[in-house]
């Protein structure tokens, strides 16, 4: 979904499927576009919309893009790998936004590639989740060293962390080992914290291992949750009691999911 100065941009189509776009330009000192990613057609629309606004006199333009599309493809290992994050960032940079606001980027590569990058705070939503779960008898769990680095110091609570066993050819997670405060997991509430969830394989294996180690209840917070979470086992199964996320990406609803509204 795209919004221009708080108003949703309606994307129409000609009979051949190409984009039909109409947008009145409001004269303001500082304009902004908000992009909650749903599909790649929105990138083309963003290009057209930005050029339209510039043509009609908008001088200062900010982009609010809490979730950065293509963030997972932040490196290449083989000649056939397409470095989509790099090329996506080049497209965004070509539009010369004065500010590009993002939240909880997947890696520092994103931060380095996007010009004029600014950061929406993600910690308030993590704290909301901790409060909703209840801090009493709570232990945090980070699925890998990357999430430990991203969150542990800022959150400042006791934690355990995971070490993934992955098939690097297929990307499939085969299992997970636990380190850190392992001896304190038994009979505790556990809140898993990470940045992105698709089908939730990492969190399924994390919850399974935590339950084997005696965890009483397992909860999950992810800043960006894809609609594909409904294709995995987190929603249908009972390993994870509840999921907390933001509306950066998720558009579907379920009683098992609490969605926090990002303040722009």
């Amino acid at each position: 979904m795209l919004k221009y100065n708080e108003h949703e941009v309606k994307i129409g189509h000609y009979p051949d499927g190409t984009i039909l776009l109409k947008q009145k330009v409001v004269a303001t000192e500082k304009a902004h576009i908000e992009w909650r990613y749903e599909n790649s057609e929105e990138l083309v629309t963003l290009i057209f919309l930005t050029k339209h606004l510039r043509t009609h006199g908008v001088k200062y333009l900010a982009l609010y893009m809490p979730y950065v599309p293509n963030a997972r493809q932040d490196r290449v290992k083989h000649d056939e790998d397409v470095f989509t994050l790099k090329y996506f960032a080049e497209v965004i940079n070509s539009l010369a936004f004065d500010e590009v606001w993002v939240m909880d980027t997947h890696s520092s590569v994103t931060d380095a590639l996007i010009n004029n990058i600014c950061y929406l705070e993600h910690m308030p939503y993590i704290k909301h989740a901790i409060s909703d779960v209840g801090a009493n008898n709570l232990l945090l769990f980070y699925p890998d060293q990357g999430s430990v680095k991203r969150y542990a110091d800022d959150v400042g609570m006791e934690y355990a962390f995971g070490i993934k066993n992955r098939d690097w050819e297929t990307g499939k997670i085969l299992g997970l080992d636990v380190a850190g405060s392992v001896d304190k997991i038994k009979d505790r509430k556990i809140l898993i914290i990470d940045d992105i969830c698709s089908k939730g394989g990492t969190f399924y294996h994390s919850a399974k291992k935590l339950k084997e180690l005696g965890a009483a209840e397992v909860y999950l917070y992810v800043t960006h949750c894809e609609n594909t979470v409904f294709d995995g086992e987190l929603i249908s199964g009972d390993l994870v009691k509840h999921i907390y996320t933001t509306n950066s990406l998720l558009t579907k609803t379920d009683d098992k999911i609490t969605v926090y509204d990002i303040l722009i």
Side-chain angles (χ1 to χ4, degrees), residues 84-215:
T84 51
L85 176 60
K86 177 184 177 182
Y87 306 138
F88 172 79
E90 288 175 355
V91 172
I92 295 299
N93 292 341
S94 73
L95 298 174
F97 292 107
D98 298 279
E99 303 168 10
V100 180
W101 289 86
V102 302
M103 189 168 76
D104 205 358
T105 54
H106 186 59
S107 78
S108 59
V109 178
T110 299
D111 305 346
L113 290 175
I114 295 178
N115 295 341
N116 299 327
I117 196 167
C118 308
Y119 300 96
L120 296 163
E121 289 291 335
H122 59 267
M123 279 304 302
Y125 308 103
I126 294 177
K127 290 179 179 178
H128 270 305
I130 291 171
S131 177
D132 287 347
V133 172
N136 185 44
N137 198 36
L138 179 65
L139 180 72
L140 302 186
F141 181 78
Y142 302 111
D144 54 34
Q145 288 283 6
S147 53
V148 171
K149 184 178 179 180
R150 278 194 298 274
Y151 308 113
D153 286 345
D154 289 337
V155 177
M157 290 178 63
E158 189 177 27
Y159 66 88
F161 62 93
I163 303 169
K164 298 176 188 175
N165 301 318
R166 186 190 295 272
D167 183 334
W168 290 105
E169 288 298 318
T170 64
K172 185 177 180 180
I173 297 170
L174 305 176
L176 182 136
D177 297 320
V178 176
S181 299
V182 181
D183 58 329
K184 298 185 180 181
I185 291 172
K186 186 174 174 57
D187 298 326
R188 300 282 291 273
K189 293 184 297 185
I190 310 293
L191 176 62
I192 303 170
I193 298 176
D194 209 351
D195 60 336
I196 302 177
C197 174
S198 49
K199 289 186 179 181
T202 295
F203 310 119
Y204 171 81
H205 285 288
S206 297
K208 184 178 179 181
K209 189 66 175 182
L210 290 165
K211 284 285 192 175
E212 290 172 359
L213 292 170

Side-chain angles (χ1 to χ4, degrees), residues 50-65:
T50 302
K51 291 182 178 294
H52 173 71
L53 297 179
R54 296 294 195 193
T55 298
H56 289 273
V58 173
K59 301 297 184 183
Y60 196 101
L61 186 58
L63 174 64
Y64 287 83
M65 180 176 59

